[in-house]
Amino acid sequence: MPATIVLGAQWGDEGKGRVVDYFAEGADYVVRYQGGNNAGHTIIVGDQRIALSLIPSGIHYPGCVPVIASGTVIDPKVLIAEMDMLAGLGFDPARVRISSNAHLIMPYHRKLDAAIERYLGRNQIGTTKRGIGPAYTDKYARFGIRVQDLFDPKIFAEKVEAGLRDKNKVLPRVYNTLPMDPVEVAAEYLSYADRLRPHVTDTSLLLWEALTEGRVVLFEGAQGTLLDIDHGTYPFVTSSNPTAGGAVVGAGIGPRMIDEVVGVAKAYISRVGTGPFPTELHDEVGDRLIELGGEYGTVTGRRRRCGWLDLLALRYAARVNGLTRVFLTKLDILSAFETIKVAVGYHSSEGSFTEFPAQQSVLYHCEPEYAELPGWGTDISGAREIEDLPGNARAYIEFVAETVGVPVGWVSVGPERSQLVTVT
Ligand code: GDP
Ligand code: IMO
Ligand code: MG
């Protein structure tokens, strides 16, 4: 798999970190192409549990270069802290490559993110409050400040001043919060420049050279398909494109370079923050999924909303990403259930649906129609070969593949690196 995109096929937290960690063993580069430190990817290496938010999984393989590409938004303080954390664990962050075109998350973006959420009240999105939305807003409004600007102190100070000019009116007058001093903000950020300088490069050129030399490159999505700004459940989405198209735009490579697109999906589904969620469970089954699956946010610690696997949503993800294979995670969590449900249709006052509805109001009001599959009633966390899985678990995997129309390539049966089964 020379150039493979690994992305979330649901609302995030599908287990992308552990999947990328698995593939990264044979990779020369692992590339984050969008998002910022709103992501929380947990990987387990031996007895170490590592939570990454910005640096792609793969950092702990000495032969693998982690790349933070142009489509991302970077909070430099967080990035430096993450590099220090990794160095403390014995991994060498010197290899990290950062695009000079990536945008910076500024302190006023964080402040605005929190203020806007407060202002929205009941209608809030439930963002991670990391400043992601306001940073991308400035990027598209062409007020953004990029990594490369850090290396020209005069221009940088001017851009901060310009960036704060309107915000210093909006912060107190609209959001009832204090304005910020552009001189202080610029001074803080310029103090990060020397530390970041050795990592900053033209990552599009780096990746083009790597791909034309036949190197193995993995593109790691953050968030998930249903959180995509264009194809997700807008407006309850993030402000970037986690979908496959986002990988080529965000990394600065051509679509013909991509060989495989792997969609990571949990064997059930979860969502953090607000927004429609047809298969959400508000009963003790949902509570069990949350407790057994340890469904608490890596970044914010928030309890994740959980429900049965939604195959309309997964088929939608297969379509908008052109998935070539699915990686089904956390199959072990379903071992506790006698009967397992999967949504195969929706119905509402507007009719019946077998495809994920494009109309948000439909999604809000529809009820799922479930297929019920028998559970397997036994611990599968020790399975390593397809033959180790009980017949009902294999039937579950086949049902998913057939309904979605994409082969399930792998399933994982526990959080550790070795706890997975190759299916096809
Ligand atoms: P990501 O954001 O997509 O990388 O996913 P997160 O790391 O936020 O959440 C996935 C969680 O599930 C992490 O705590 C993983 O350690 C854990 N996990 C991943 N795969 C499996 C699995 O197959 N079984 C179990 N039990 N846990 C898993
Ligand atoms: P990983 O990469 C799950 C959600 C937030 C909120 C919405 C917008 O770990 O899968 P933002 O801060 O991005 O403006 O918030 O998106 N969200 C995630 N949910 N996993 C994530 O990342 C998420 N990143 C953002 O909860 O609903
Ligand atoms: Mg996560």
Side-chain angles (χ1 to χ4, degrees):
M1 40 168 62
T4 301
I5 301 172
V6 177
L7 54 81
Q10 298 165 328
W11 276 292
D13 302 324
E14 300 90 346
K16 298 174 293 293
R18 74 82 45 92
V19 170
V20 171
D21 168 58
Y22 169 66
F23 290 138
E25 185 163 15
D28 298 301
Y29 296 83
V30 182
V31 185
R32 260 294 292 280
Y33 55 86
Q34 46 67 235
N37 58 310
N38 46 347
H41 300 168
T42 313
I43 49 180
I44 298 191
V45 185
D47 53 9
Q48 279 175 326
R49 185 184 181 86
I50 307 173
L52 295 168
S53 66
L54 202 48
I55 296 178
S57 320
I59 177 81
H60 44 277
Y61 292 110
C64 179
V65 177
V67 178
I68 303 173
S70 311
T72 61
V73 284
I74 297 176
D75 188 326
K77 193 176 176 184
V78 173
L79 175 57
I80 290 169
E82 196 160 304
M83 290 203 277
D84 290 344
M85 178 271 289
L86 289 165
L89 293 174
F91 304 112
D92 181 11
R95 290 168 288 130
V96 173
R97 290 289 161 268
I98 303 166
S99 169
S100 56
N101 286 349
H103 279 246
L104 293 172
I105 298 178
M106 303 299 291
Y108 44 86
H109 293 140
R110 288 195 300 271
K111 195 163 184 168
L112 272 170
D113 197 354
I116 294 168
E117 282 285 272
R118 232 181 6 251
Y119 190 77
L120 285 172
R122 265 173 13 109
N123 296 323
Q124 65 176 230
I125 290 164
T127 73
T128 58
K129 300 197 176 73
R130 300 301 193 261
I132 306 296
Y136 278 111
T137 302
D138 272 2
K139 168 177 170 170
Y140 287 102
R142 292 161 292 176
F143 274 122
I145 305 182
R146 298 193 290 176
V147 168
Q148 57 186 273
D149 297 321
L150 283 170
F151 309 119
D152 187 330
K154 187 164 164 284
I155 299 259
F156 190 82
E158 282 172 16
K159 289 196 174 185
V160 174
E161 212 273 319
L164 268 173
R165 212 170 294 149
D166 63 328
K167 293 179 188 71
N168 270 345
K169 293 199 174 69
V170 170
L171 284 168
R173 291 188 203 164
V174 178
Y175 298 116
N176 196 23
T177 179
L178 292 174
M180 299 186 97
D181 179 1
V183 176
E184 259 175 44
V185 170
E188 181 203 333
Y189 270 52
L190 288 169
S191 75
Y192 304 132
D194 284 344
R195 182 72 197 277
L196 295 181
R197 197 188 304 267
H199 300 276
V200 176
T201 190
D202 178 347
T203 53
S204 163
L205 178 62
L206 178 77
L207 294 172
W208 186 79
E209 285 172 351
L211 288 164
T212 49
E213 282 168 14
R215 299 296 178 102
V216 177
V217 182
L218 278 178
F219 297 87
E220 178 188 46
Q223 291 82 51
T225 301
L226 300 175
L227 288 172
D228 186 280
I229 186 82
D230 289 293
H231 305 291
T233 49
Y234 190 89
F236 302 101
V237 293
T238 193
S239 299
S240 65
N241 290 112
T243 46
V248 291
V249 175
I253 57 151
R256 293 196 308 141
M257 294 274 192
I258 300 298
D259 299 289
E260 176 140 30
V261 186
V262 176
V264 184
K266 266 195 279 231
Y268 49 100
I269 193 165
S270 70
R271 158 159 225 176
V272 197
T274 44
F277 182 174
T279 64
E280 181 172 16
L281 293 166
H282 296 283
D283 57 10
E284 68 282 2
V285 177
D287 291 345
R288 270 177 92 196
L289 283 172
I290 293 168
E291 295 313 321
L292 293 169
E295 296 294 346
Y296 293 91
T298 313
V299 173
T300 56
R302 286 179 291 175
R303 187 177 152 101
R304 296 171 180 158
R305 301 156 64 192
C306 280
W308 294 117
L309 183 61
D310 185 335
L311 292 182
L312 284 77
L314 192 49
R315 194 163 55 237
Y316 175 70
R319 164 158 50 99
V320 298
N321 293 299
L323 297 185
T324 53
R325 275 189 278 183
V326 168
F327 194 127
L328 204 58
T329 60
K330 299 187 118 170
L331 191 65
D332 53 306
I333 303 302
L334 295 186
S335 301
F337 297 88
E338 222 167 274
T339 303
I340 298 162
K341 294 187 184 178
V342 283
V344 291
Y346 298 149
H347 61 267
S348 78
S349 56
E350 316 216 12
S352 293
F353 300 85
T354 50
E355 296 295 340
F356 197 67
Q359 190 72 23
Q360 179 100 346
S361 54
V362 172
L363 202 59
Y364 259 115
H365 297 115
C366 61
E367 289 293 325
E369 283 162 12
Y370 288 114
E372 295 199 10
L373 306 179
W376 41 91
T378 177
D379 178 13
I380 57 169
S381 60
R384 298 294 177 270
E385 309 286 338
I386 189 75
E387 296 75 30
D388 301 337
L389 289 173
N392 284 353
R394 279 191 258 170
Y396 180 86
I397 297 166
E398 273 161 33
F399 187 85
V400 170
E402 210 158 280
T403 313
V404 174
V406 175
V408 172
W410 311 262
V411 295
S412 66
V413 292
E416 280 169 32
R417 195 178 274 170
S418 64
Q419 288 183 293
L420 65 88
V421 172
T422 302
V423 181
T424 50

